[in-house]
Amino acid sequence: MKFAVFASGYGSNLQAIMDAVKNGDIKAELALVFSDQRKAQALNRAQGAGIKTLFLSRKDYAAPQSYDRDIVIHLKEEKIDFIVLAGYMRILTPYFIKEYPNKILNVHPSLLPSFKGRQGVKDAFTYGVKVTGVTIHFVDEKTDHGPIILQDSFKITVKDKLETVVEKIHKIEHKIFPKAIALFAEGRLQIKGRKVKVLDKPAPDSLK
Ligand code: GRF
């Protein structure tokens, strides 16, 4: 299986994913890294690792759908089977999601369904939650909503500041995101309604 990672920024999750591909934990080919930001550090990381990259500027397109349409053309050219959103700060259009149903994975830095949106870590911290964490989920047409694959959590202590919580979130992301991608690539994720079952071995009706 071939997959693409979409990233808008620093790309620490991309790095964890590239490492997991390299050491054989993810049994799939990372064939393309796409960004909507020309200067995304994620693009440099990919280029440094010899992975093909693509940047398209949203400004060159009249509407979100025409932008997504062009991205999909590139994905089809590369024969991409599934997509991983690793800090991609743009909402995919329904058109895009229909092209890859149950084949897009996202990382969100809170325990969904709490604290959806762009500032999940900050919103949870400011709210005063005592426990927070990370969610890896399939993408559907509602933002931060699709079936949950993996979650992990930790307690926020009185000593924590926003920065330390961000660090802890990243640490968890770098552990469970590659794990979820590995499970998907092995055909070990089965969706039934909102529930995602992790199988011991690939099922005939798995998503692979
Ligand atoms: C991650 O915290 C992710 O949860 C959020 O954006 C951040 C991306 O970080 N959606 P990086 O670019 O992978 O370092």
Side-chain angles (χ1 to χ4, degrees):
M1 290 226 276
K2 284 173 120 183
F3 73 106
V5 171
F6 287 21
S8 299
Y10 186 59
S12 69
N13 279 284
L14 168 69
Q15 188 65 55
I17 295 163
M18 292 192 308
D19 293 347
V21 170
K22 205 171 170 190
N23 70 25
D25 286 344
I26 296 175
K27 293 175 189 63
E29 181 193 344
L30 174 50
L32 183 71
V33 171
F34 170 73
S35 187
D36 60 327
Q37 301 296 323
R38 188 189 302 275
K39 295 196 171 140
Q41 174 66 11
L43 290 176
N44 298 332
R45 289 179 193 268
Q47 282 155 7
I51 295 164
K52 191 165 181 174
T53 59
L54 174 67
F55 157 73
L56 296 174
S57 173
R58 173 66 182 83
K59 292 194 192 108
D60 294 338
Y61 297 82
Q65 184 158 328
S66 45
Y67 184 63
D68 276 6
R69 202 179 286 276
D70 219 4
I71 301 172
V72 167
I73 288 170
H74 283 91
L75 297 176
K76 300 256 150 119
E77 266 172 22
E78 297 294 331
K79 297 192 167 35
I80 297 296
D81 297 299
F82 69 98
I83 292 130
V84 168
L85 307 181
Y88 184 61
M89 301 312 276
R90 206 168 277 286
I91 298 201
L92 296 173
T93 57
Y95 157 78
F96 189 107
I97 293 160
K98 281 200 190 87
E99 288 288 322
Y100 291 93
N102 295 333
K103 287 182 171 16
I104 309 169
L105 283 68
N106 185 42
V107 57
H108 185 77
S110 77
L111 294 173
L112 290 176
S114 292
F115 306 108
K116 297 178 178 178
R118 296 173 77 96
Q119 300 200 56
V121 185
K122 193 172 169 209
D123 292 346
F125 184 70
T126 310
Y127 194 86
V129 298
K130 304 290 188 198
V131 175
T132 191
V134 171
T135 304
I136 312 298
H137 66 97
F138 283 107
V139 172
D140 67 8
E141 286 179 23
K142 292 186 201 158
T143 306
D144 300 329
H145 174 268
I148 291 171
I149 303 168
L150 296 176
Q151 285 185 309
D152 201 359
S153 64
F154 59 93
K155 282 186 183 156
I156 295 179
T157 70
V158 282
K159 285 189 189 155
D160 272 314
K161 297 191 274 270
L162 179 59
E163 297 72 41
T164 59
V165 174
V166 168
E167 271 173 37
K168 290 176 190 176
I169 289 277
H170 277 296
K171 217 171 164 187
I172 292 179
E173 289 181 336
H174 300 162
K175 200 170 78 187
I176 69 170
F177 205 10
K179 192 170 166 190
I181 298 164
L183 289 169
F184 181 86
E186 288 165 26
R188 290 174 56 197
L189 298 178
Q190 194 176 48
I191 304 178
K192 288 219 170 109
R194 278 213 54 86
K195 306 272 172 67
V196 179
K197 196 171 171 189
V198 177
L199 307 168
D200 291 337
K201 52 183 181 204
D205 61 340
S206 74
L207 301 167
K208 197 171 177 181

